[in-house]
Amino acid sequence: MLLPSSRALLHRWIGNIGTFEATTKSRLHRQIGGSGQLLSVRVQFIAPYGGFGAEGRLKEQKRSEFSECKYRKYSKMLPTNTAVKQRGPIELVRFTKNMTFFTNQKKSYDKDSQTLRLSTPLDRPLVFIFAWLQASEKHLSKFAEFYLEQGFDVLSVHISPWQLVWPVYGSQKVAADVVKFLTNNDFPEGVVIHGFSVGGYLWGECLVKLSAEPDGRRVLQKIRGQVWDSLADITEIPVGVPHAVLPHNPTLQGVLRNYINYHMKLFHEEATQYYVQCTHLFHHEPAPCPALLLVSKTDPVGTETANNRLRGIWDSVGVKTSLKCWDKSPHVGHFHKHRDEYVELLHAHLRTLDLPLYNRKAKL
């Protein structure tokens, strides 16, 4: 049932204001503010392609922050005993509003703004990171570091909560850029997808667009492997979004969860039907390359049950799929909780893929 206060959220979202306010009474008020007071929350939702918080932080502080970071080295886990030289601190190069390259080299990644075709083709394999909601560059840099040391180029893509709940004006536009980039560039060294949580939904939007293109299957052949960490089933959006936006406030998570449930029912034509379509293609028409699923028994968003079901479907359509389930680790927190084992799993998975880099190393 929609809370009375959630009607205010609905009107603000319909008006595309970009923020919403919720006011409610709670039994917890006696603990946090006294009896009879109103509990208010103002949650920022960013309109598509407009001032995403990560972009602002990118311009103001991340360069100095990254230069001070001490990164864990993964050189000993390379395909051979020859380590790839770490050329410098990780820097960010904004490619589009929602896509960012992580690099430890001096590279510009110049492109044609209409086609997103790179002026200079990539000469290394590319890992395409589909980020979770509210992921920071600092968190993503840990994964970027691993792949850079393996000899990959690293490109991340993100969507905001606003872009998730209004897909026609948000996530589908981001997906269109991803598809344009994959279609108009050559990747002789191959592409690997490493996605997290709602990043699976964004890739589903990409699959929808590729399915409508005459050469969509050819583009999918560029994908040599995929890794999905804490993959969130679309039915878990009401759980996952509040968890990402309000991670430390269970009371307000409940308010937002009630609204999102109502939103999905009310805006079936504008939003929910697209979630269903993406889920179907993600499950039944995936990229035809080996997959690794990373989950835990205690994750309420990327559940073990949902990921095991996905594994069964992918196996049935010929996608070789491996699954690792830890007993305990938080949503998108498996790398932090089980770092050594996580890295070993990634390394073993990469060795099984048809990547020229690894094939050359194997011959040495």
Side-chain angles (χ1 to χ4, degrees):
M1 181 178 67
L2 180 66
L3 296 175
S5 59
S6 297
R7 294 192 181 94
L9 312 186
L10 178 61
H11 291 306
R12 285 187 176 273
W13 280 30
I14 291 175
N16 292 327
I17 294 176
T19 64
F20 74 86
E21 294 181 358
T23 303
T24 185
K25 291 185 177 180
S26 170
R27 294 188 181 92
L28 296 179
H29 288 172
R30 297 181 183 274
Q31 302 174 17
I32 63 176
S35 176
Q37 291 186 353
L38 291 178
L39 175 63
S40 298
V41 59
R42 189 171 187 269
V43 181
Q44 186 72 25
F45 279 81
I46 309 301
Y49 298 97
F52 187 72
E55 183 176 358
R57 293 194 300 274
L58 171 71
K59 295 179 180 178
E60 299 295 332
Q61 68 189 43
K62 287 302 178 184
R63 178 166 297 183
S64 61
E65 181 176 327
F66 283 131
S67 65
E68 297 172 358
C69 286
K70 293 182 179 179
Y71 295 106
R72 175 184 174 90
K73 304 303 179 185
Y74 302 100
S75 298
K76 65 181 180 180
M77 300 175 185
L78 290 171
T80 70
N81 292 328
T82 303
V84 175
K85 183 179 180 181
Q86 186 78 6
R87 303 192 180 187
I90 296 176
E91 297 183 357
L92 309 183
V93 179
R94 183 69 68 196
F95 190 65
T96 69
K97 293 288 186 180
N98 291 76
M99 297 163 65
T100 303
F101 275 100
F102 289 71
T103 182
N104 56 2
Q105 304 179 48
K106 297 298 181 182
K107 300 180 78 170
S108 63
Y109 299 103
D110 291 332
K111 64 183 183 298
D112 180 274
S113 59
Q114 296 300 315
T115 65
L116 298 186
R117 183 172 180 83
L118 292 164
S119 301
T120 303
L122 298 179
D123 57 359
R124 307 195 300 178
L126 174 71
V127 62
F128 214 142
I129 295 178
F130 283 70
W132 64 94
L133 282 181
Q134 311 290 68
S136 70
E137 285 89 357
K138 182 177 181 180
H139 291 142
L140 295 177
S141 69
K142 303 299 182 182
F143 299 94
E145 180 203 11
F146 168 79
Y147 283 107
L148 288 171
E149 287 200 4
Q150 300 298 301
F152 286 75
D153 281 300
V154 179
L155 176 63
S156 72
V157 58
H158 68 259
I159 55 174
S160 69
W162 198 100
Q163 291 167 325
L164 171 64
V165 298
W166 296 110
V168 174
Y169 306 104
S171 55
Q172 291 182 7
K173 293 185 179 295
V174 180
D177 279 348
V178 172
V179 170
K180 187 185 298 183
F181 174 77
L182 290 174
T183 301
N184 294 326
N185 285 282
D186 299 319
F187 303 98
E189 295 291 316
V191 178
V192 174
I193 290 176
H194 192 144
F196 301 84
S197 188
V198 77
Y201 155 70
L202 180 59
W203 176 240
E205 289 283 13
C206 297
L207 291 174
V208 171
K209 293 188 177 298
L210 287 170
S211 69
E213 297 290 334
D215 60 346
R217 300 306 298 179
R218 179 188 63 82
V219 175
L220 282 180
Q221 294 296 327
K222 299 178 181 181
I223 312 299
R224 307 292 179 85
Q226 49 190 323
V227 179
W228 295 103
D229 180 321
S230 305
L231 184 63
D233 190 271
I234 205 65
T235 59
E236 300 301 330
I237 282 182
V239 178
V241 173
H243 179 81
V245 176
L246 300 162
H248 305 298
N249 197 321
T251 302
L252 296 178
Q253 285 180 17
V255 175
L256 184 52
R257 185 177 302 112
N258 284 335
Y259 172 73
I260 293 175
N261 279 320
Y262 185 80
H263 177 92
M264 292 177 70
K265 292 178 181 178
L266 182 62
F267 295 106
H268 182 273
E269 296 299 318
E270 296 85 354
T272 308
Q273 67 162 325
Y274 300 113
Y275 302 151
V276 174
Q277 185 180 18
C278 290
T279 298
H280 177 79
L281 263 71
F282 189 92
H283 280 70
H284 298 280
E285 298 183 35
C289 59
L292 172 63
L293 304 179
L294 303 169
V295 301
S296 85
K297 295 179 180 179
T298 56
D299 185 355
V301 182
T303 65
E304 178 187 10
T305 300
N307 278 269
N308 270 316
R309 181 171 61 247
L310 175 65
R311 179 189 184 182
I313 295 173
W314 279 1
D315 282 339
S316 71
V317 297
V319 173
K320 182 180 178 181
T321 307
S322 303
L323 184 144
K324 171 62 181 180
C325 182
W326 285 281
D327 289 333
K328 184 178 181 180
S329 55
H331 187 62
V332 298
H334 312 318
F335 177 76
H336 178 75
K337 186 76 172 179
H338 310 280
R339 181 167 301 197
D340 289 341
E341 188 176 8
Y342 193 107
V343 169
E344 289 174 2
L345 288 165
L346 287 183
H347 188 211
H349 183 63
L350 293 173
R351 279 183 171 275
T352 68
L353 307 181
D354 183 22
L355 293 171
L357 170 66
Y358 281 75
N359 292 338
R360 289 194 296 270
K361 295 290 185 181
K363 294 178 181 178
L364 294 178

